[in-house]
């Protein structure tokens, strides 16, 4: 009963925080493959292998969307499902924190997770991020509870929603090894096989892809192949920044490092030579970061890399200080966080960092599944360091997180990192609505896949009927389109080139908080 009550409370709070965006059309990943795949299934029967539309992703979430589309093309029900999963993630975060620590840590964990900007934003976006997060954290809870059947169920469902959920499993296996290494070898092997069994789903899915589509991994994934070590190192730093520094999470990082430290313990272990050596290493790191921006690496697969490098540079002094504190207190740190469950958390976080560094995937939504683990550890730090003032400190940090919920920047490629995506979707919807009302029979030149999908399919939530359009990369002459619809995706230089080439005039502009769309028509 307690769990049901908590879930209902979390759902009510989450629903109220998202009530203003429930009528927004779909965006980002939903337009990339979830909506097209679900639409294809509706029109051709429930077939999870949709001729590559799914980009090779596992099918459960777009199958759920297809069922919704049988009844309505409104996105409201799809968003409610995401809110349900988001509430479920809050519940299991609470239960894990209470299980391994205490109720105060559990409450603070929920407060912090709810207020993280990317978690809040993704709780209102139809994508795999929040469902996989909820099922992953549920699977981790059942590992800690040693409930194998429910672990396998949750882990299997999570993999069926998003195949990268399998990254949880190596961390779980390492945890089992550390926890049960004294058991009989046959018993231990049996445990490892049971907890590793959801990986069979991945193997089964790969072979079905090969049989039906002709490939194990979708050809689109070729762009994630490794090229050289140096960009990976920089992306590794960017991934660390994304997890441990962005959106005021550097506060959580510092608290986790400082939790074991007291004045007395510091001086008790203080050694002049080693401290001087650690200081030199920290200064050396500072110097390295200082020269990183001069590299200016260009990457077609990671166009915002230099922006992240610049942000690492901006945080150089803080990074060096944290590095020095960690080196100085590392023995205290490992003594403090010596719980087996923390080893489980750390293993999973490490695997996520290494995987996403190797494959150059650095968007906020890829790291949300490990945020519950991060906030649980940070929340325990808060309860230890601040004692009776722990809730006040937690609320101050939550307010800082919430202060960037609606931070708006020019288009930067990761709109799901906070609620600014809602402004982008709003101006997209206004522009496409204007075209549908005033130029329903025109051919529209689109400036990106999302706008093309929004115009083409009523299932995307932008139009009542499909509007003819042509892609900007395929256009050669001005006889193939009547209107140019610009949404910022291709950049200002490319926009100017199109306007000058085809002699276009601005007809209408829609703008909200640094996000804008424009409609151009041919000049007489």
């Amino acid at each position: 009963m307690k769990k049901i009550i908590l879930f209902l409370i979390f759902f009510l709070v989450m629903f109220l925080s998202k009530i203003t965006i429930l009528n927004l059309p779909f965006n980002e990943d939903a337009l990339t493959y979830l909506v097209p795949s679900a639409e294809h299934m509706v029109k051709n029967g429930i077939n999870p292998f949709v001729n590559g539309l799914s980009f090779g992703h596992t099918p459960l979430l777009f199958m759920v969307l297809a069922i919704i589309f049988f009844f309505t093309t409104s996105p409201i029900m799809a968003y409610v499902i995401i809110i349900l999963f988001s509430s479920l993630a809050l519940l299991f975060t609470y239960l894990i924190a209470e299980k391994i620590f205490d109720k105060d840590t559990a409450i603070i964990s929920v407060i912090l997770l709810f207020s993280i900007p990317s978690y809040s934003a993704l709780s209102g976006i139809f994508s795999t991020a929040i469902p996989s997060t909820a099922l992953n954290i549920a699977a981790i809870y059942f590992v800690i509870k040693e409930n194998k059947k429910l672990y396998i169920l949750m882990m299997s469902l999570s993999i069926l929603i998003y195949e990268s959920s399998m990254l949880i499993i190596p961390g779980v296996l390492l945890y089992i090894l550390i926890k049960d290494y004294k058991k009989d070898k046959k018993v231990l092997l049996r445990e490892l096989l049971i907890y590793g069994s959801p990986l069979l789903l991945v193997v089964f899915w790969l072979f079905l892809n090969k049989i039906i589509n002709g490939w194990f991994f979708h050809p689109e994934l070729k762009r994630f192949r490794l090229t050289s070590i140096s960009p990976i190192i920089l992306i590794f730093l960017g991934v660390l920044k994304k997890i441990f520094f962005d959106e005021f999470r550097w506060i959580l990082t510092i608290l986790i490092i400082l939790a074991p430290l007291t004045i007395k313990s510091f001086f008790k272990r203080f050694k002049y030579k080693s401290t001087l050596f650690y200081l030199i290493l920290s200064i050396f790191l500072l110097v390295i970061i200082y020269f990183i921006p001069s590299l200016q690496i260009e990457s077609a697969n990671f166009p915002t890399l230099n922006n992240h490098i610049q942000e690492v540079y901006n945080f150089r002094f803080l990074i060096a200080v944290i590095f020095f504190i960690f080196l100085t207190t590392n023995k205290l740190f490992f003594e403090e966080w010596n719980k087996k469950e923390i080893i489980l958390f750390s293993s999973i976080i490490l695997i996520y960092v290494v995987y996403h560094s190797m494959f150059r995937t650095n968007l906020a939504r890829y790291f949300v599944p490990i945020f519950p683990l991060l906030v649980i550890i940070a929340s325990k730090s808060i309860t230890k360091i601040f004692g009776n003032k722990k809730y006040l400190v937690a609320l101050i940090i939550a307010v800082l997180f919430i202060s960037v919920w609606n931070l708006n920047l020019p288009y930067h490629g990761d709109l799901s990192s906070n609620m600014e995506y809602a402004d982008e979707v709003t101006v997209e919807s206004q522009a496409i609505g204007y075209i549908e009302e005033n130029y329903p029979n025109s051919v529209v030149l689109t400036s990106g896949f999302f706008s093309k999908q929004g115009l083409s399919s009523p299932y995307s939530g932008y139009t009542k009927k499909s509007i003819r359009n042509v892609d900007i990369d395929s256009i050669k002459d001005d006889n193939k389109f009547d209107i140019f619809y610009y949404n910022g995706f291709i950049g200002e230089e490319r926009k100017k080139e199109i306007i000058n080439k085809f002699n276009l005039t601005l007809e209408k502009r829609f703008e909200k908080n640094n996000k804008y769309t424009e409609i151009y028509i041919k000049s007489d």
Side-chain angles (χ1 to χ4, degrees), residues 4 14 20 28 41 50 99 120 125 141 188 193 251 300 381 393-394 404 419 433 463 469 491 503:
I4 294 173
M14 189 58 70
T20 58
E28 291 205 335
M41 291 176 67
V50 287
K99 172 71 177 174
S120 173
I125 295 174
Y141 172 73
L188 179 58
L193 289 174
I251 298 173
S381 300
V393 172
V404 292
M419 290 301 296
T463 63
N469 59 84
N503 192 26

Side-chain angles (χ1 to χ4, degrees), residues 61-81:
L61 192 60
F62 59 78
M63 289 178 72
V64 170
L65 186 58
I67 294 170
I68 293 172
F69 282 165
F70 271 116
F71 302 98
T72 177
T73 58
S74 170
I76 293 176
M77 184 54 67
Y79 290 145
V80 169
I81 288 174

